[in-house]
Amino acid sequence: MTLRDSIDVRAITKDEIPEWIRALNTGFLRPPTVSEQEIADRSSYVVLERTLGAFDDGRCVATFRSFPQELTAVGGALVPANAISNVTVTPTHRRRGILSRMMATDLAAAKERGDVVATLIAAEYPIYGRYGFGPAASTAEWIVDVPRTGLDPRWSGPADGGRIDLVDGEDVRKTGPELHERLRRGQPGAVSRDERWWLLNTGAPEVTSGSWTEPYYAVYRSAAGEVEGLVSYESDDKWDDKRPHNTADVNWLIAVTPTAERALWHYLCSIDWITKVKTGWRAPDDLLPLLLPDPRAARLTTQADLLWVRILDVVRALEARTYAGSGTLVLEVTDRDGLSAGRYLLEAGPDGASCAPTTLDAELTLDVGELGRLWLGDESVVRLVALGLVREERAGAGSVADALLRTSRRPWCPDIF
């Protein structure tokens, strides 16, 4: 028996949660200790049949977890997704095919359940393309030099009849979920948040430890009194030669109107002693820089892939999203794992789309990972053709595909999971 054959990959039992957490902490280079609180917390929400471990002589040496999620497609439809997280392999057991076995087990189960896509946040770029994932939505981060913005330093609040108030975590737990629902239904790439997300991000004692530091929360209400924006932020305390050099560090900011977004950023830039604002991870085409009289005051510090998508059901994925134009396209989709391979005819228009297997000649040939990269509208088919990642079987098919698939605003996933 080889070392690879001796490793048992399977769903864990409740009694194995502590050992699984130890392996998870080891894989993420955290202290390999396990607290009773962490055991209790994990036990309260993990789905055991979707929590995999690899065991070598009884010791857990790899971890993998998936959970149900909804992902917003172009046009606002919410599609069932298989969200993947907590993927680790202990350093002593790399290069033995363990991740491939865990991924194959989980994706096959997701396909059987009827999930349309699988999603993950890739810590390392080269890994997940092997399993049919493509980078589908990016993120960006800016640091704002407040004195350079050109904003009125005497600003004391919105002039549109709205108002900004400081609130506490309990208030956010009441108003935040509904606001996020409004945001995600209009934001391709956004994902669902469960109750636990709001508990964790507002310091609820039942899920946070003694290390929790309470941030500030500010809410924007329109002139009609409706909550349209929320921000969570922290600040440091730095002075030099009796001058403040403090930074407001945004944990998250959600707004469902440009007015609310503008007001919250202006608020952050108007706080006394704040000379820099770190935006946190934002959409790659976020409005922020152009909200400032001097957009150069916002310096881009991060621009990277974030959400990766793996198409499990080509027909349902292409029918779920909307299309700005009208046209037809025959796609030959390759998939080394066989989950989504086939030739498909897409007939799309502003009123809807149909997709079905076909025997017509293919116009474009692409791997399922490239289809995942294109599905949310962020990438150019013509660009991928130039890179050799998509093959045109009919001249000009890439331009036709771009006219159908690309979107005017870029997709964005506000969450790490």
Side-chain angles (χ1 to χ4, degrees), residues 41-288:
D41 182 40
R42 287 276 181 183
S43 300
S44 70
Y45 69 87
V46 297
V47 181
L48 290 176
E49 58 266 29
R50 296 177 66 168
T51 305
L52 305 180
F55 293 85
D56 185 4
D57 196 24
R59 183 180 181 87
C60 187
V61 295
T63 63
F64 189 109
R65 181 174 71 90
S66 69
F67 59 92
Q69 184 185 72
E70 288 180 332
L71 173 63
T72 305
V74 176
L78 306 179
V79 302
N82 176 64
I84 294 170
S85 186
N86 299 147
V87 179
T88 73
V89 177
T90 300
T92 55
H93 285 70
R94 298 166 67 242
R95 303 292 185 266
R96 300 189 192 180
I98 295 174
L99 175 56
S100 294
R101 292 172 62 187
M102 294 191 296
M103 186 69 75
T105 298
D106 184 75
L107 292 181
K111 177 83 172 180
E112 181 68 23
R113 276 194 306 271
D115 290 330
V116 174
V117 298
T119 60
L120 55 81
I121 308 296
E124 298 179 60
Y125 193 99
I127 296 175
Y128 294 100
R130 303 199 306 264
Y131 307 111
F133 288 83
S138 299
T139 191
E141 187 173 20
W142 288 266
I143 293 180
V144 180
D145 183 353
V146 173
R148 186 180 175 180
T149 60
L151 294 170
D152 182 359
R154 298 168 300 174
W155 188 82
S156 59
D160 56 8
R163 61 179 293 161
I164 292 176
D165 295 298
L166 289 171
V167 295
D168 60 23
E170 185 177 354
D171 294 320
V172 173
R173 288 192 288 274
K174 293 176 182 177
T175 60
E178 182 181 353
L179 183 68
H180 178 259
E181 280 299 302
R182 293 177 61 193
L183 172 76
R184 77 177 180 115
R185 290 177 182 274
Q187 178 59 64
V191 297
S192 50
R193 290 177 178 174
D194 59 14
E195 181 185 8
R196 186 172 181 275
W197 189 97
W198 293 100
L199 295 173
L200 276 173
N201 285 273
T202 56
E206 57 264 43
V207 295
T208 54
S209 65
S211 61
W212 168 261
T213 300
E214 184 79 2
Y216 301 100
Y217 305 100
V219 58
Y220 170 85
R221 291 183 175 87
S222 69
E226 186 174 7
V227 173
E228 293 184 347
L230 277 168
V231 62
S232 167
Y233 66 97
E234 302 172 32
S235 66
D236 58 13
D237 184 20
K238 293 183 179 180
W239 289 70
D240 180 33
D241 194 24
K242 294 192 175 181
R243 292 184 179 182
H245 295 279
N246 299 319
T247 298
D249 199 341
V250 174
N251 299 316
W252 48 264
L253 183 152
I254 55 177
V256 295
T257 64
T259 299
E261 195 169 350
R262 181 189 298 272
L264 287 173
W265 287 122
H266 202 163
Y267 162 74
L268 291 165
C269 290
S270 71
I271 300 172
D272 287 341
W273 299 355
I274 294 297
T275 60
K276 293 188 184 301
V277 174
K278 293 180 66 174
T279 66
W281 289 358
R282 306 295 303 160
D285 60 351
D286 200 85
L287 299 179
L288 171 63

Side-chain angles (χ1 to χ4, degrees), residues 284-299:
D285 60 351
D286 200 85
L287 299 179
L288 171 63
L290 297 180
L291 292 176
L292 307 176
D294 184 353
R296 294 180 183 178
R299 177 169 58 89

Side-chain angles (χ1 to χ4, degrees), residues 345-368:
L345 170 62
L346 171 66
E347 298 178 287
D351 296 328
S354 66
C355 182
T358 184
T359 58
L360 294 173
D361 291 340
E363 297 172 296
L364 288 173
T365 297
L366 70 168
D367 181 74
V368 67

Side-chain angles (χ1 to χ4, degrees), residues 378-410:
D378 197 36
E379 185 56 90
S380 162
V381 179
V382 171
R383 186 166 178 256
L384 297 183
V385 169
L387 291 167
L389 298 174
V390 173
R391 187 170 70 247
E392 278 189 327
E393 309 294 357
R394 180 180 63 78
S399 296
V400 172
D402 274 344
L404 287 175
L405 296 170
R406 299 208 76 179
T407 56
S408 56
R409 290 295 303 273
R410 299 181 67 180

